[in-house]
Amino acid sequence: MTTVRGARARARDEVTAAIKDEARRQLAAEGATKLSLRAVARELGMVSSALYRYFPSRDDLLTALIVDAYDALGAAAEAALRATGAAFPAGAPAAAPVTSGTGASTATRATPGTGASTATRATSGAGVSAASPGPAVPGASATPGAPPTAGASDPGGPQVTPRGRWVVVCRAVREWSKAHPHEYALIYGSPVPGYSAPQATVAPASRAAHVLLAVLREAHRTDGVAPPPLAADLRAEGERLAAELAPDLPPALVLAFVGAWCQLFGLVSFEVFGHFHRVVEDPEAFFTHAADRLGRDLGLLR
């Protein structure tokens, strides 16, 4: 009986994966607003009633795609941080939800753009990408005084500074987003009319933010960050954000992080959606230096 149940579970997993793969193909071709369970079933040679046993509604399928996308992005960020030699546990819970493309977000809920991802899988149909070497990352060097190097390190390899780690993770976010533009648009693009993201999307939506907060936590623990001053008229806001997002970090640093987070995804969105066309001729170098500037504004030391 156990063998039969195992075979059924595997068969269900395979059909579920095929449904999501076809849905992603339709997202790329038609956009999230035109995603149709009937069209997916037709392309897979299934009757609609059979597909509804896997995803009862279009919104359920969208949520699954959104979770997959957020998790794939988060996994890419986590892999990039580990590659610098930093300790970061697999599937580490997010510190707090963050705002995404589909709209409103509160301290207890994140509303994604249109898609979802599997909160427990390191890989998905959306794919996982670690940071590629690319140009030199400011702040990462093999030895003190040596030219900056991009890259990963092992216990005996190059040591990456706090700002270098920040840039490495930001680059991983950019690279995943460029490699998966339709999944990125699902979570950070225009809201899907009539869709409201459920609570299940909150933890996946927070994974990438949690990685960057881990960089700040390590820097704060080792005196590797000097937070900017907190303006008097923003003190209450900074204290509220710190209490909700990262009570172990100074309010000034948390407030600056929220601004840097927004700017990071502004940079990524401009590139993914083509707004740098005929404006920025070397987007990779431009992004690397912009990410380094964000880290500098946060007070992260080289």
Side-chain angles (χ1 to χ4, degrees), residues 36 121 154:
S36 161
R121 294 176 59 187
D154 54 47

Side-chain angles (χ1 to χ4, degrees), residues 20-42:
K20 291 197 287 187
D21 285 345
E22 174 57 28
R24 291 187 187 99
R25 191 195 66 78
Q26 291 193 17
L27 285 178
E30 303 288 344
T33 58
K34 294 185 178 180
L35 181 63
S36 161
L37 289 184
R38 289 183 179 275
V40 170
R42 182 173 60 252

